[in-house]
Amino acid sequence: MTVGIIELLTIFVLAAFVGNEVVSKVPSILHTPLMSGTNAIHGIILVGTMAILGQAQGDVQTILGFLAVLLATLNVVGGFVVTDRMLEMFKAKPSDRPAKSAGTPEEPGQGGATS
Amino acid sequence: MTVGIIELLTIFVLAAFVGNEVVSKVPSILHTPLMSGTNAIHGIILVGTMAILGQAQGDVQTILGFLAVLLATLNVVGGFVVTDRMLEMFKAKPSDRPAKSAGTPEEPGQGGATS
Amino acid sequence: MSLLTWVDLVYLLAAIGFILALKGLSSPKFARQGNMLGAGAATLAIAMTFTIPSVRHAGSRLILMVVAMIIGTAIAVPAARRVKMTAMPQMVAIFNGVGGGAAALVSMTAFLILTSHDSFTGKPAVYKIVEVILGILIGCVSFSGSAIAFIKLQELITGRPITYPAQQVINAFVGIAIVGLAVATVLTANVALLVVMSVLALVLGVIFVLPIGGADVPVLISLLNSFTGLAVAASGFSLGNNLLIIAGTLVGASGILLTRMMSKAMGRSLANVLFSAFGSVVTASGGADGAGADARPVKVGTPEDIGVLMAYARKVVIIPGYGLAVAQAQHTARELADLLTERGVEVFYAIHPVAGRMPGHMNVLLAEANVPYDELKEMDEANPELATADVALVVGANDTVNPAANNTPGSPIYGMPIIHADLAQHIVFLKRSMRPGFAGIDNELLYDPKTTMLFGDAKDTLTKLVAAVKSA
Amino acid sequence: MSLLTWVDLVYLLAAIGFILALKGLSSPKFARQGNMLGAGAATLAIAMTFTIPSVRHAGSRLILMVVAMIIGTAIAVPAARRVKMTAMPQMVAIFNGVGGGAAALVSMTAFLILTSHDSFTGKPAVYKIVEVILGILIGCVSFSGSAIAFIKLQELITGRPITYPAQQVINAFVGIAIVGLAVATVLTANVALLVVMSVLALVLGVIFVLPIGGADVPVLISLLNSFTGLAVAASGFSLGNNLLIIAGTLVGASGILLTRMMSKAMGRSLANVLFSAFGSVVTASGGADGAGADARPVKVGTPEDIGVLMAYARKVVIIPGYGLAVAQAQHTARELADLLTERGVEVFYAIHPVAGRMPGHMNVLLAEANVPYDELKEMDEANPELATADVALVVGANDTVNPAANNTPGSPIYGMPIIHADLAQHIVFLKRSMRPGFAGIDNELLYDPKTTMLFGDAKDTLTKLVAAVKSA
Ligand SMILES: NC(=O)c1ccc[n+]([C@@H]2O[C@H](COP(=O)([O-])OP(=O)(O)OC[C@H]3O[C@@H](n4cnc5c(N)ncnc54)[C@H](OP(=O)(O)O)[C@@H]3O)[C@@H](O)[C@H]2O)c1
Ligand SMILES: NC(=O)c1ccc[n+]([C@@H]2O[C@H](COP(=O)([O-])OP(=O)(O)OC[C@H]3O[C@@H](n4cnc5c(N)ncnc54)[C@H](OP(=O)(O)O)[C@@H]3O)[C@@H](O)[C@H]2O)c1
């Protein structure tokens, strides 16, 4: 906790630019998974809750810390699992399907989705 | 100078992502001005040379610092001026020209350049 | 290097992992790998956290920690595995809310630790308190706001905008009270003030979300997601933890952008989504639409007519909308499409970006029903094809095919891009009534001579169509 | 807040300014504003630096500082104002070199201060020395490499790759010596070792650049630009200065990307650009090409023939290349284009991304000659138009219109996108001889029945064409 506030601010500003730039061209087809995936990422607050519970003194702080760890675990575990489930379905899978007229190519579908 | 190396490393990594993301879609028409413009940006080393000359002790350090300030000034001043000169010409200017058949629109030229 | 430096290095690695995960999630090809990379980065960071002395030597609190994590995992995994794809928005809302709650609790405990530690050296630095307050405020709003969003989407309360007398006055009062308490807390570092402020922040989350209509809630969730990110970043400031700052800010910044992109896809501004009820009180039932609707004749078809029409068509485009999600008719729609394909009819789905209950949601629903990618076309790709389609089968969609968006300036949806069902030879609407869609405006296309209506719940009518096609 | 925190805050603002400047520079619309924003950010940061106590109270050294800045400005402004646009690559090289030199000097002085300060407390931390060494190494290579690049481009020495016996052995020796000295310096923190290492790094810069052919030098300058950025970032680490780290890293990262994009536009890998002489020793004159060239007949035209051809054409496409830049014929080309336009001929320029002496350079040259934007077409835009063109006037270009890139697998330029001059009704080449271009390979198009050659320096032949069109 000895790090200068300016360094933290700098990191904040740079991370904001990175987040903004990276997401700026995502296609609408991915809005839902992206929302859910970023939701999982902020579950990393779990790391903070662990540190807090580790340092907690007295019952109040311990209870708050315990609750925090519990909630953060829900967020991070649930977030990544649900996103994965969603994305798992996001693929061309002509093989699972009843016979289709032509051997439908896999790539065009995905390529079209990006455009 | 008491800042932790980790913070500096973090800033480095994030800045690298920002640089990469921002430049990743520049059209080839701007390669030369972009090269010259980034060249000017690293001229900010001038700030470092000033700090060094300020702290210099003894003749050797003072001479090195003096040289450094001089070189850095060349970089930053020359870099921005030359880039500006280049970009100044980068515009549609049908007005300077001898009468052209049709009233050439300004935008299409620039729009085409981005594509 | 000391152990703590190693921890910090691993945190930096995890942060890089999150950035790459976000890059992956932004492209359809690498989305799944991206998510897995993110999960890996999180696991790494969590594992490393166990080596920090204050955690490692926490004794009974270490046991509590592990217990909390086991309980959390035991709840989260089955919930995430079993949730129906149609209930995705609720699920995201709840995971987001707990994250916000955790961030608020971290900031709160950090405040307690801060004030108890510093009791001998005097008041802690102002900016430390400001960081804590920001974390608590944003986290609490996100927590209670997400909870209300969940309740709305789960239809435990009405999805309609909830308004009540003196709403503006109450909002203003809560807002001013929070600001006042925040300032007072900064000045006094008093715990009681902080607790009252936290409670009011929870209230603010509730009254912020109540007036927002059900169909706008997904956009809201994206915004609250962004809030939680910022709350996490604020906790990162309090704890001096770079990883939390980076991960939180990434989510905060990308969430805000995503929210704006969603509003744009709906042809509206973010402010409009959040602060106007957008006439959806009028929408839900009765009133103006009944009058306008009944006045003019519409063509109503039987399932058999329409079954024959489709069975002998060359190209059928299915345009799914919000109603398909509500009726959970995606599997039946797929059955119909398969049947038609087997008969040699060319079938594909035209997906509007804001069809369904949340942006991109229709893709997820249809993917769940095993509809392969190559039958889904995005709006821009589908529109040129519609001119050559024999039948446009509009299943529970309305606004997203309403020509008023193109040709009626002043209409609330004017300017929103639509799917051009109107270009097809025949248009079939599967809906329950003549009631308008979310935007609450009449749809001229329902009265078009080319249009046939088939009233009823989408799942029922689709089942009937399947039977009709089979016997055609 | 202390003064130093204020300085840091202003530095952060300047860093944000640089990021926005970079964003601006990446889009044609905001490039100029972006550059101005960058200049403003730099000015702000420099002004703020004067308030730092160690600078403010530096006494005589403060005067020296101001003197150095005045001298630097007095040299840089006129140089930057007067330089010819064709000499742009040299100018960028020299500004880049001095920046690298400055960064190296900063790191060197930081090392001296470090070792003198710490003389009583023992050796400074290892990572501090590593930072310094990196700054010096990269800065020195950038400095001497840029100097050689300047000398090559200014044609003070030959632009051809310079090779000499035992080149590999010497390079390896220098490389190993530098690594050894670096390790020794880390272990001993000895100044003498550092000085020797710096000198060897200067040598490395020279021997790294000498074997690179003149036409590849622009790509190299982009790489060295990136190096200087990294050297600045390394100085930032030594000084604990965030602004230097951010600005340097931005330039370093974007420079590497830019370098790769340039190589890609040339249809080659970066390694190929840097480490292979790419057969350009064969290129320059004589040898294989002479034999192949003389064996087959070519059609040679007179300026009058070609003047008439163009004067009565409907559409003329001018394809400028390296030779136009060398001959500095851009103004004459513009004169010709204006003349044709006045006669009602449709004229535009088709610009290949790697035409000229550096990527995008041709745009700058033509812009300088007052050619408006709307007459410049990028390759992808121009190619469809060439099929309907009456005349493709190829001025000092060769590789960029060579069909071998499309249809001769194994050719060194195979895979590079070209401008399809071959689709035009008539093709006119203005060049001095039958010699090949930079890639050193024959161009079938020169022997095409549709092709007319007009030999001579591009400026001369264009002047003759202007006269011919006038009298046509
Ligand atoms: N996707 C998003 O992210 C999102 C977010 C917020 C807002 N929105 C808004 O939501 C709208 C979405 O457009 P949309 O065309 O998909 O939907 P819509 O315009 O809201 O229309 C949905 C239609 O489905 C019908 N319906 C409802 N339940 C049904 C059932 N069980 N069976 C059959 N039909 C049923 C309704 O008519 P009946 O009542 O007559 O059956 C209604 O007309 C747009 O205005 C968009 O701006 C979208
Ligand atoms: N732009 C870049 O960034 C860049 C960087 C590195 C490498 N390159 C490479 O450079 C090449 C560029 O292609 P390019 O088509 O522009 O040029 P090129 O293929 O190198 O051909 C240039 C032609 O101009 C002629 N020429 C030279 N001086 C002339 C003069 N004074 N008057 C008239 N003609 C003259 C030469 O023929 P004579 O000798 O017969 O006159 C030569 O054939 C590509 O291979 C590219 O990969 C480009």
Side-chain angles (χ1 to χ4, degrees):
Chain A
M1 306 206 186
T2 56
V3 175
I5 178 79
I6 289 288
E7 272 64 39
L8 300 184
L9 259 184
T10 306
I11 289 173
F12 173 76
V13 167
L14 290 174
F17 272 108
V18 174
N20 205 57
E21 289 297 328
V22 168
V23 173
S24 62
K25 265 152 203 149
V26 49
S28 68
I29 191 177
L30 279 178
H31 282 173
T32 292
L34 183 65
M35 205 202 272
S36 158
T38 52
N39 183 15
I41 288 178
H42 65 50
I44 197 61
I45 183 70
L46 178 53
V47 162
T49 62
M50 291 169 70
I52 283 288
L53 180 55
Q55 296 169 46
Q57 275 158 353
D59 288 347
V60 177
Q61 292 182 16
T62 306
I63 293 173
L64 290 181
F66 176 81
L67 272 180
V69 173
L70 180 62
L71 294 183
T73 307
L74 284 172
N75 182 349
V76 73
V77 175
F80 280 116
V81 172
V82 95
T83 309
D84 186 64
R85 235 190 91 196
M86 217 184 300
L87 290 171
E88 190 185 14
M89 304 175 322
F90 262 67
K91 53 185 181 217
K93 38 186 167 186
S95 47
D96 308 7
R97 309 199 62 235
K100 282 205 57 185
S101 44
T104 39
E106 300 206 11
E107 288 317 312
Q110 294 211 338
T114 24
S115 72
Chain B
M1 304 206 189
T2 55
V3 176
I5 177 81
I6 290 287
E7 273 63 40
L8 299 184
L9 259 184
T10 306
I11 290 172
F12 173 76
V13 167
L14 290 173
F17 273 108
V18 174
N20 206 55
E21 290 296 327
V22 169
V23 173
S24 62
K25 266 151 201 151
V26 50
S28 68
I29 191 178
L30 279 178
H31 281 173
T32 292
L34 183 65
M35 203 201 273
S36 158
T38 53
N39 182 17
I41 287 179
H42 66 49
I44 197 63
I45 182 69
L46 176 54
V47 163
T49 62
M50 289 168 71
I52 283 286
L53 180 53
Q55 297 169 45
Q57 275 157 352
D59 288 348
V60 178
Q61 293 182 16
T62 306
I63 293 174
L64 290 180
F66 176 81
L67 272 180
V69 173
L70 179 62
L71 293 184
T73 307
L74 283 171
N75 183 347
V76 73
V77 175
F80 281 115
V81 172
V82 94
T83 309
D84 186 64
R85 236 191 91 196
M86 217 184 301
L87 291 171
E88 189 185 14
M89 303 176 323
F90 261 67
K91 54 185 179 214
K93 38 185 167 187
S95 48
D96 307 8
R97 310 198 63 235
K100 280 205 57 184
S101 44
T104 39
E106 300 207 11
E107 289 317 311
Q110 294 209 338
T114 24
S115 72
Chain C
M1 280 200 286
S2 71
L3 175 66
L4 274 178
T5 313
W6 279 112
V7 172
D8 283 342
L9 258 186
V10 169
Y11 280 0
L12 177 54
L13 272 184
I16 295 175
F18 285 150
I19 295 176
L20 295 176
L22 198 61
K23 283 180 83 130
L25 279 166
S26 310
S27 89
K29 227 172 176 173
F30 301 108
R32 194 164 182 212
Q33 284 101 306
N35 188 54
M36 287 184 172
L37 183 63
T43 311
L44 183 71
I46 293 163
M48 199 68 193
T49 306
F50 276 111
T51 68
I52 296 177
S54 69
V55 172
R56 194 168 15 127
H57 301 135
S60 64
R61 290 191 315 284
L62 179 60
I63 298 175
L64 275 178
M65 197 180 298
V66 174
V67 170
M69 289 169 80
I70 291 175
I71 299 179
T73 309
I75 300 176
V77 172
R81 280 263 172 79
R82 287 206 210 111
V83 62
K84 292 227 180 84
M85 281 299 142
T86 39
M88 210 40 131
Q90 291 95 299
M91 198 82 240
V92 173
I94 211 142
F95 287 144
N96 181 56
V98 293
L105 287 174
V106 166
S107 289
M108 227 173 270
T109 321
F111 182 79
L112 296 180
I113 296 176
L114 201 67
T115 44
S116 64
H117 271 311
D118 287 69
S119 50
F120 40 94
T121 57
K123 234 164 51 63
V126 168
Y127 73 80
K128 282 264 152 221
I129 305 188
V130 171
E131 289 164 1
V132 164
I133 289 182
L134 281 179
I136 296 178
L137 279 184
I138 310 177
C140 284
V141 169
S142 187
F143 178 73
S144 62
S146 300
I148 299 296
F150 170 80
I151 293 174
K152 278 203 172 205
L153 289 173
Q154 196 70 9
E155 292 177 5
L156 302 179
I157 61 172
T158 171
R160 277 191 258 162
I162 294 174
T163 50
Y164 42 87
Q167 195 159 21
Q168 303 306 332
V169 179
I170 295 178
N171 291 1
F173 174 78
V174 173
I176 292 171
I178 289 179
V179 172
L181 284 166
V183 172
T185 313
V186 169
L187 295 178
T188 63
N190 181 304
V191 177
L193 287 177
L194 192 85
V195 172
V196 179
M197 190 197 71
S198 310
V199 173
L200 279 183
L202 289 173
V203 174
L204 183 66
V206 174
I207 61 179
F208 174 57
V209 174
L210 278 181
I212 295 179
D216 280 340
V217 169
V219 179
L220 175 84
I221 293 177
S222 175
L223 187 69
L224 291 176
N225 189 21
S226 170
F227 278 11
T228 303
L230 293 177
V232 169
S235 309
F237 273 93
S238 302
L239 303 177
N241 184 322
N242 299 338
L243 175 58
L244 295 189
I245 297 183
I246 296 175
T249 311
L250 277 179
V251 177
S254 63
I256 287 173
L257 192 68
L258 196 55
T259 310
R260 288 178 46 205
M261 284 162 62
M262 286 184 184
S263 328
K264 221 178 111 196
M266 293 168 60
R268 296 162 62 196
S269 76
L270 181 53
N272 183 293
V273 170
L274 295 181
F275 299 118
S276 90
F278 193 60
S280 47
V281 185
V282 185
T283 307
S285 68
D289 48 357
D294 290 359
R296 281 186 289 164
V298 296
K299 190 164 72 193
V300 179
T302 66
E304 288 68 32
D305 297 346
I306 299 168
V308 170
L309 181 67
M310 291 197 298
Y312 295 100
R314 273 173 302 109
K315 197 197 261 185
V316 173
V317 180
I318 302 179
I319 304 171
Y322 181 75
L324 177 119
V326 173
Q328 301 209 21
Q330 65 270 28
H331 293 278
T332 322
R334 189 208 150 186
E335 216 181 307
L336 179 65
D338 282 348
L339 209 59
L340 289 171
T341 309
E342 269 168 41
R343 295 183 65 108
V345 183
E346 183 188 347
V347 181
F348 67 86
Y349 296 80
I351 314 284
H352 192 279
V354 295
R357 272 175 169 262
M358 80 201 279
H361 191 202
M362 205 47 82
N363 297 289
V364 178
L365 291 176
L366 294 173
E368 191 199 18
N370 269 332
V371 176
Y373 243 98
D374 46 1
E375 289 179 10
L376 300 185
K377 300 211 171 163
E378 280 196 280
M379 182 169 59
D380 294 338
E381 206 188 338
N383 271 337
E385 300 249 19
L386 272 155
T388 62
D390 299 298
V391 182
L393 182 69
V394 183
V395 187
N398 194 342
D399 296 343
T400 49
V401 295
N402 190 341
N406 281 330
N407 52 28
T408 312
S411 160
I413 59 169
Y414 186 67
M416 178 170 91
I418 61 163
I419 296 194
H420 281 288
D422 48 336
L423 298 181
Q425 291 282 296
H426 299 273
I427 306 146
V428 177
F429 271 92
L430 305 190
K431 62 201 298 283
R432 296 165 309 177
S433 68
M434 291 302 285
R435 282 200 296 271
F438 168 66
I441 49 166
D442 254 2
N443 186 347
E444 276 302 318
L445 201 57
L446 299 179
Y447 307 100
D448 195 289
K450 293 195 292 181
T451 298
T452 312
M453 302 296 303
L454 182 56
F455 290 116
D457 179 82
K459 194 161 186 174
D460 292 347
T461 47
L462 279 172
T463 313
K464 286 186 197 146
L465 283 181
V466 168
V469 169
K470 270 192 185 140
S471 62
Chain D
M1 280 200 285
S2 71
L3 175 66
L4 273 179
T5 313
W6 279 114
V7 172
D8 282 342
L9 259 186
V10 169
Y11 280 1
L12 177 55
L13 272 185
I16 295 175
F18 285 150
I19 295 177
L20 295 176
L22 198 60
K23 282 180 84 130
L25 278 166
S26 308
S27 88
K29 227 171 175 175
F30 301 108
R32 195 166 182 207
Q33 284 101 308
N35 186 56
M36 284 182 176
L37 183 63
T43 310
L44 183 70
I46 293 163
M48 199 67 193
T49 306
F50 276 112
T51 68
I52 297 177
S54 69
V55 172
R56 195 169 13 129
H57 302 135
S60 65
R61 291 191 314 285
L62 180 60
I63 298 174
L64 274 179
M65 197 180 297
V66 175
V67 170
M69 290 169 78
I70 291 175
I71 298 179
T73 309
I75 299 176
V77 172
R81 281 263 171 76
R82 286 206 209 111
V83 60
K84 292 227 180 84
M85 281 298 142
T86 39
M88 210 39 131
Q90 291 95 298
M91 198 82 240
V92 173
I94 210 143
F95 288 144
N96 180 56
V98 293
L105 287 174
V106 166
S107 289
M108 226 172 271
T109 320
F111 182 80
L112 295 180
I113 295 176
L114 202 66
T115 45
S116 63
H117 271 312
D118 287 70
S119 50
F120 39 93
T121 57
K123 232 161 54 59
V126 168
Y127 73 79
K128 283 263 153 221
I129 305 188
V130 171
E131 290 164 1
V132 164
I133 288 182
L134 281 179
I136 296 179
L137 279 183
I138 310 177
C140 285
V141 169
S142 188
F143 178 73
S144 61
S146 300
I148 300 295
F150 171 81
I151 293 174
K152 277 201 172 205
L153 290 172
Q154 197 71 9
E155 292 177 4
L156 302 178
I157 61 172
T158 170
R160 278 191 257 163
I162 293 174
T163 49
Y164 42 86
Q167 195 159 21
Q168 304 303 333
V169 179
I170 295 178
N171 292 1
F173 174 78
V174 173
I176 293 171
I178 288 179
V179 172
L181 284 166
V183 172
T185 312
V186 169
L187 295 177
T188 62
N190 180 305
V191 177
L193 287 177
L194 192 86
V195 171
V196 179
M197 191 197 70
S198 309
V199 173
L200 278 183
L202 289 173
V203 172
L204 182 66
V206 174
I207 63 180
F208 175 58
V209 175
L210 278 181
I212 295 178
D216 281 339
V217 168
V219 179
L220 174 85
I221 292 177
S222 176
L223 187 70
L224 291 175
N225 189 22
S226 171
F227 278 11
T228 302
L230 294 176
V232 169
S235 310
F237 273 92
S238 303
L239 302 178
N241 183 322
N242 299 339
L243 175 58
L244 294 189
I245 296 183
I246 297 176
T249 311
L250 277 179
V251 177
S254 64
I256 287 174
L257 191 69
L258 195 57
T259 310
R260 288 178 46 205
M261 285 162 62
M262 286 184 184
S263 327
K264 221 178 110 196
M266 293 168 59
R268 295 161 63 194
S269 75
L270 181 54
N272 183 294
V273 170
L274 296 181
F275 300 118
S276 89
F278 195 60
S280 49
V281 185
V282 185
T283 307
S285 69
D289 49 357
D294 291 358
R296 283 186 287 164
V298 296
K299 190 164 72 192
V300 179
T302 66
E304 287 68 32
D305 297 344
I306 299 168
V308 170
L309 181 66
M310 293 198 296
Y312 295 99
R314 271 172 306 109
K315 196 198 265 188
V316 173
V317 181
I318 302 180
I319 304 171
Y322 181 76
L324 177 119
V326 173
Q328 301 209 19
Q330 65 269 30
H331 292 278
T332 321
R334 190 209 150 185
E335 215 181 308
L336 180 65
D338 282 348
L339 208 59
L340 288 171
T341 308
E342 269 167 42
R343 295 183 66 109
V345 182
E346 183 188 347
V347 181
F348 67 85
Y349 296 79
I351 314 283
H352 192 280
V354 296
R357 271 174 170 264
M358 79 201 281
H361 192 204
M362 204 49 82
N363 296 289
V364 177
L365 291 176
L366 293 174
E368 192 199 17
N370 269 331
V371 176
Y373 245 99
D374 47 1
E375 289 180 10
L376 300 185
K377 300 212 171 163
E378 279 194 282
M379 182 170 61
D380 295 337
E381 204 189 339
N383 271 337
E385 299 249 19
L386 272 156
T388 61
D390 300 299
V391 182
L393 182 68
V394 184
V395 187
N398 193 343
D399 297 342
T400 49
V401 297
N402 190 341
N406 280 330
N407 52 28
T408 312
S411 159
I413 59 169
Y414 186 66
M416 179 170 93
I418 60 162
I419 296 193
H420 280 289
D422 48 336
L423 298 181
Q425 291 282 297
H426 298 273
I427 305 146
V428 177
F429 271 92
L430 305 191
K431 63 200 298 285
R432 296 165 309 177
S433 68
M434 291 302 285
R435 281 199 298 269
F438 169 64
I441 50 166
D442 254 2
N443 187 347
E444 277 302 317
L445 202 57
L446 299 179
Y447 306 101
D448 195 287
K450 292 196 293 183
T451 298
T452 311
M453 303 295 304
L454 182 55
F455 289 115
D457 179 81
K459 194 159 186 174
D460 291 348
T461 48
L462 279 171
T463 313
K464 286 185 197 147
L465 283 181
V466 167
V469 169
K470 271 195 183 136
S471 63

